[in-house]
Amino acid sequence: MKAREMTTGAVKRQGPTLPAPIAKIVKQKYLFLLLLPGLVYFFIFKYYPMYGVTIAFKEYDPNLGIINSPWAGLKYFQRLFETPYILTLVENTLKISLLKIILGFPAPILFALLLNEITHTLFKRTLQTISYLPHFLSWVVVAGVAFQIFSPSYGLYGYIYNLFGWETGVPLADTDTFIPILIGTDIWKEIGYGSIIYLAALAGIGSEMYEAARIDGAGRFKQCLYITLPSLIPIISMMFILRLGNILDGGFDQIFNLYSPAVYGVSDIIDTYVYRIGLENFEYSFSTAVGLCKSVIGAVLVVSANWVVGKFTERSIW
C-alpha cells in the first residue's frame, strides 16, 4: 500500500509529459531567447511589409488605404503580360544578371585563391583591407567616381584620349560601353568583400592535407586543383544558389545612379521600370504586380537551383 502511494506521488510530482519539441525548447529556453531579436527584426521589416503586395490585386487609392481600396483582380498582371516593353526589360535584366554571374561570381573565388597563396602576412592583410573598402561605399559615391573617370571633358578617360589626339565619346551614354562599365564597377566594388567567406573556408582546410600533397610531389597548382578547390565546392554551391535567387535583381542602386535615357535600351531593368512607373507615374498597383512577378520567379529559381545542385553534388541548402 505504501509502495503504491509512493509511486502515485512520484507520478503526480512529474506532471504531464511534454511533447519532445516543446520539451527541447523549454530545456534550451535561454538559447532560443537569443533568436528573439532576429525574429522580431524579420517580422517587422521582412514579413509584415509583405502585406503590401495585396496592392497588386487592388485599385489602390492612397486616400482609401490598402484595406478600403476596391479589388481589381488580375487586371494589372494581364496588363503586364500584354506590355511589349516587358520583353526588353526581362532581356536587359537577364543579360546584366548573367554577365554579373559569369564574370562577377568567380572573381571573389579567384581573388581568395590568390590571397591564400601570398605568404607575406603584412602585404596580404594590406591588400585585403584595401579590397574591402569599395564595398562600404554607396553606389552614389561609386557613380560619382565613375562619372569623374569617364568624363570626356575633365576625366581620366578624356585626358588620355585628348593626349593622343583621339576622338572621345561619352562612355556612360554609349550603349556599347555602358554594360562593360556596369560589370566592371560591380566587380571592383564587391570582389574584396565577397572573398571573405571563401578565405574563411580556406582557413578551415587542414594543413596536413597540403603536407601530404607536398610529400607526394604536388606543386602549388596541383595542391590548389586537388585540395583547395574541392574543399570550396560546398560553399561555392551555396553561394551560387543564393546568387541565382537574385538573378532578376540586376542591381537597382547601381543602374539607377549610372544610367540615363540615352542607354535605357540596354540598361533599363525590371526594378528601374518599377521605380519609374510606381513613384514617378503613381501607378502603385501595376508596379507592385511587376515586382511580385519578379519575386515569384526568383523564388522558383532558388528552389530549382537548390534541387539541381543537390542532385549533382549531394549538397544543398535544404
Side-chain angles (χ1 to χ4, degrees):
M1 182 65 182
K2 287 183 179 179
R4 179 186 296 178
E5 288 176 352
M6 291 176 62
T7 306
T8 307
V11 171
K12 285 181 179 178
R13 281 195 297 273
Q14 288 178 353
T17 304
L18 295 173
I22 297 177
K24 187 176 181 181
I25 292 174
V26 172
K27 184 179 179 182
Q28 301 178 350
K29 53 183 176 295
Y30 296 112
L31 290 178
F32 279 98
L33 276 177
L34 295 176
L35 285 173
L36 192 58
L39 293 176
V40 171
Y41 167 81
F42 276 98
F43 176 76
I44 295 176
F45 295 104
K46 301 294 181 182
Y47 287 95
Y48 180 69
M50 289 173 67
Y51 172 70
V53 300
T54 53
I55 293 175
F57 304 94
K58 289 197 166 191
E59 296 284 1
Y60 178 64
D61 185 346
N63 295 321
L64 299 176
I66 296 177
I67 296 176
N68 295 324
S69 296
W71 290 98
L74 299 176
K75 169 185 172 182
Y76 292 105
F77 292 93
Q78 185 178 357
R79 176 185 165 186
L80 168 64
F81 292 110
E82 291 176 352
T83 303
Y85 190 59
I86 194 66
L87 295 177
T88 303
L89 293 175
V90 173
E91 180 185 351
N92 291 341
T93 305
L94 288 176
K95 183 172 68 177
I96 292 172
S97 297
L98 287 175
L99 284 173
K100 285 185 176 180
I101 289 177
I102 293 171
L103 300 175
F105 183 75
I109 301 172
L110 295 174
F111 186 65
L113 292 174
L114 291 175
L115 282 178
N116 192 51
E117 296 298 321
I118 297 176
T119 55
H120 195 285
T121 307
L122 180 60
F123 177 68
K124 181 179 178 180
R125 289 181 178 176
T126 304
L127 194 59
Q128 279 183 265
T129 305
I130 294 173
S131 67
Y132 297 161
L133 292 178
H135 171 78
F136 299 100
L137 299 175
S138 70
W139 276 113
V140 178
V141 176
V142 175
V145 173
F147 281 121
Q148 288 291 328
I149 292 175
F150 295 104
S151 169
S153 56
Y154 51 81
L156 179 63
Y157 165 83
Y159 175 77
I160 294 174
Y161 267 66
N162 291 327
L163 187 65
F164 290 98
W166 298 337
E167 184 179 352
T168 60
V170 184
L172 286 171
D174 190 331
T175 54
D176 293 330
T177 54
F178 182 82
I179 297 299
I181 293 174
L182 197 74
I183 304 301
T185 52
D186 181 68
I187 293 175
W188 171 75
K189 190 173 184 299
E190 300 298 337
I191 187 172
Y193 195 78
S195 66
I196 291 176
I197 191 166
Y198 300 109
L199 287 171
L202 288 171
I205 301 175
S207 59
E208 65 275 6
M209 297 175 67
Y210 292 105
E211 292 173 4
R214 279 194 292 270
I215 293 172
D216 290 339
R220 304 297 292 268
F221 179 75
K222 285 191 175 180
Q223 290 177 34
C224 177
L225 190 63
Y226 293 109
I227 298 176
T228 308
L229 279 178
S231 300
L232 289 178
I233 290 297
I235 190 67
I236 291 175
S237 302
M238 186 184 72
M239 298 302 292
F240 184 71
I241 292 169
L242 295 176
R243 187 68 181 263
L244 278 183
N246 297 324
I247 194 170
L248 293 181
D249 280 346
F252 170 79
D253 290 340
Q254 181 191 18
I255 295 175
F256 183 74
N257 284 288
L258 284 173
Y259 81 160
S260 63
V263 292
Y264 273 0
V266 297
S267 64
D268 200 15
I269 61 173
I270 296 174
D271 287 336
T272 53
Y273 180 72
V274 167
Y275 175 83
R276 288 205 312 276
I277 295 298
L279 296 183
E280 294 181 3
N281 297 344
F282 305 107
E283 297 189 49
Y284 303 112
S285 298
F286 181 60
S287 64
T288 306
V290 177
L292 182 58
C293 281
K294 192 198 79 170
S295 300
V296 170
I297 295 172
V300 171
L301 286 174
V302 169
V303 174
S304 304
N306 186 65
W307 181 81
V308 171
V309 172
K311 191 78 174 177
F312 289 98
T313 66
E314 297 182 355
R315 295 185 178 92
S316 58
I317 294 178
W318 65 86

